[in-house]
C-alpha cells in the first residue's frame, strides 16, 4: 500500500515516487505514453496491407500504360465527304480500349489548274510538285472531343474554323504530292496512341475553289505579301 509520497506503477505495481513519469523497475511510462506501444502494434498490420495494395496498383497502372497502347492501333478511318467547310468521317475502333480524339487536320496540295490533273482516259491523278499552287492545313473541330468505345463504329462530321498555310517544301520532290487527313488519338487512360493518317482521293481537290481557299487562309502578317501575290496570280 502506497503512502502519500508514493504510488504504484500502472504496469508492474511496484512502488514508485508519486511524481515519477516512468517506472524505475519496468521502465513503463505512467501517463498516456504507455499506450503508444499497443497503438503502434495495432497499426502495423493495416499499414503493411496498404503498402502491399499500393504497390500492386502501381504495378497494374504500369502494365496498362506499357502494354495497352500496343493493342490499340487497329483503327480505320474513311473520309466520306470533305469541303472547305466540313468533313465527314467513318471511324471504326477495333482496338481493345476506348479512344478519344478531336477533329482531323487535313493537308491539301492545291493544284494550279484542275484540268491538268485529268489523264487522257478521264481518270484523275495527284498534282506533280510544279503543278501545286499552295499547300494548306485545314483544322476541322467539333464542340467536344469524340469518345468511341472498343468494337464500335461512328459516322462523324466536323467543321473547319481555321485554315493555316502548310509551308511544305515540295519543289525538289520527284513524285506527286498527295493530300491527306490525320487524326490524333489517346486511350481511356490518357496514353497517346499513334496518329492515324488517311489518304484523300484526287477528286476531293475538285471541292476546293482556289480563290476562296486562299482568301480564307490565316496568313501571318509577314506572309500577307505572299497572299496578295497568290490572289493576283489567280485573277490573271
Amino acid at each position: 500500500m502506497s503512502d502519500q509520497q508514493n504510488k504504484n506503477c500502472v504496469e508492474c505495481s511496484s512502488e514508485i515516487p508519486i511524481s515519477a513519469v516512468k517506472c524505475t523497475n519496468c521502465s513503463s511510462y505512467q501517463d498516456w505514453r504507455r499506450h503508444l506501444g499497443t497503438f503502434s502494434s495495432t497499426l502495423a498490420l493495416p499499414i503493411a496491407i496498404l503498402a502491399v495494395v499500393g504497390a500492386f496498383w502501381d504495378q497494374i497502372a504500369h502494365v496498362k500504360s506499357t502494354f495497352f497502347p500496343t493493342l490499340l492501333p487497329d483503327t480505320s478511318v474513311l473520309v466520306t465527304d470533305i469541303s472547305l467547310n466540313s468533313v465527314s468521317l467513318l471511324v471504326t475502333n477495333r482496338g481493345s480500349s476506348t479512344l478519344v480524339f478531336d477533329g482531323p487536320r487535313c493537308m491539301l496540295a492545291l493544284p494550279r489548274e484542275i484540268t491538268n490533273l485529268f489523264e487522257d482516259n478521264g481518270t484523275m491523278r495527284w498534282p506533280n510538285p510544279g503543278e501545286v499552287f499552295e499547300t494548306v492545313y485545314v483544322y476541322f473541330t467539333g464542340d467536344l472531343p469524340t469518345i468511341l468505345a472498343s468494337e464500335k463504329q461512328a459516322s462523324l462530321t466536323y467543321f473547319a474554323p481555321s485554315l493555316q498555310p502548310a509551308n511544305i517544301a515540295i519543289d525538289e520532290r520527284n513524285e506527286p504530292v498527295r493530300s491527306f487527313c490525320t487524326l490524333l488519338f489517346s486511350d481511356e487512360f490518357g496514353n497517346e496512341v499513334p496518329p492515324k493518317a488517311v489518304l484523300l482521293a484526287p477528286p476531293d481537290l475538285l471541292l476546293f475553289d482556289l480563290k476562296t481557299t486562299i482568301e480564307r487562309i490565316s496568313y501571318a502578317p509577314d506572309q500577307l505579301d505572299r497572299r496578295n501575290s497568290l490572289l493576283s496570280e489567280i485573277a490573271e
Side-chain angles (χ1 to χ4, degrees):
M1 185 93 176
S2 60
D3 56 27
Q4 292 183 350
Q5 302 299 321
N6 298 315
K7 63 181 180 181
N8 293 330
C9 171
V10 295
E11 294 293 333
C12 66
S13 299
S14 298
E15 189 170 304
I16 58 177
I18 195 169
S19 61
V21 175
K22 195 173 183 181
C23 178
T24 56
N25 183 46
C26 67
S27 300
S28 298
Y29 283 102
Q30 303 302 297
D31 53 14
W32 58 269
R33 284 175 286 186
R34 71 179 185 274
H35 300 295
L36 286 178
T38 302
F39 185 68
S40 300
S41 299
T42 304
L43 281 181
L45 180 60
I47 290 175
I49 293 175
L50 287 176
V52 172
V53 171
F56 173 78
W57 283 113
D58 285 344
Q59 289 297 318
I60 292 296
H62 174 70
V63 169
K64 285 182 177 180
S65 64
T66 302
F67 293 103
F68 272 154
T70 65
L71 303 177
L72 295 171
D74 189 11
T75 303
S76 63
V77 180
L78 176 66
V79 177
T80 57
D81 185 49
I82 188 170
S83 70
L84 194 59
N85 299 312
S86 64
V87 63
S88 295
L89 308 173
L90 182 64
V91 183
T92 305
N93 177 13
R94 300 186 184 91
S96 61
S97 185
T98 298
L99 293 180
V100 181
F101 55 95
D102 293 313
R105 180 183 70 177
C106 298
M107 198 291 291
L108 304 176
L110 303 174
R112 295 178 180 276
E113 297 289 344
I114 290 294
T115 55
N116 292 340
L117 305 185
F118 285 91
E119 303 286 6
D120 294 338
N121 60 3
T123 60
M124 289 189 66
R125 60 174 174 80
W126 291 113
N128 293 316
E131 297 169 331
V132 173
F133 187 73
E134 179 69 307
T135 56
V136 56
Y137 285 132
V138 186
Y139 294 86
F140 295 95
T141 61
D143 294 333
L144 295 171
T146 298
I147 301 175
L148 187 60
S150 174
E151 302 298 334
K152 295 295 183 180
Q153 185 179 76
S155 180
L156 309 165
T157 298
Y158 299 94
F159 300 93
S162 66
L163 284 73
Q164 304 289 334
N167 298 325
I168 296 177
I170 60 175
D171 295 339
E172 298 181 359
R173 292 190 183 182
N174 296 319
E175 60 183 18
V177 185
R178 293 167 173 80
S179 297
F180 57 90
C181 294
T182 303
L183 274 78
L184 302 179
F185 294 95
S186 62
D187 65 19
E188 60 190 303
F189 307 108
N191 300 306
E192 292 185 359
V193 178
K196 188 75 174 182
V198 53
L199 191 65
L200 298 176
D204 291 331
L205 298 178
L206 296 174
L207 303 174
F208 294 88
D209 177 72
L210 191 57
K211 181 176 183 295
T212 303
T213 303
I214 298 299
E215 288 176 338
R216 287 185 55 178
I217 296 175
S218 299
Y219 287 98
D222 60 350
Q223 295 179 311
L224 293 181
D225 288 343
R226 173 175 176 79
R227 174 182 180 274
N228 294 333
S229 176
L230 293 174
L231 290 175
S232 298
E233 187 175 343
I234 293 172
E236 291 178 355

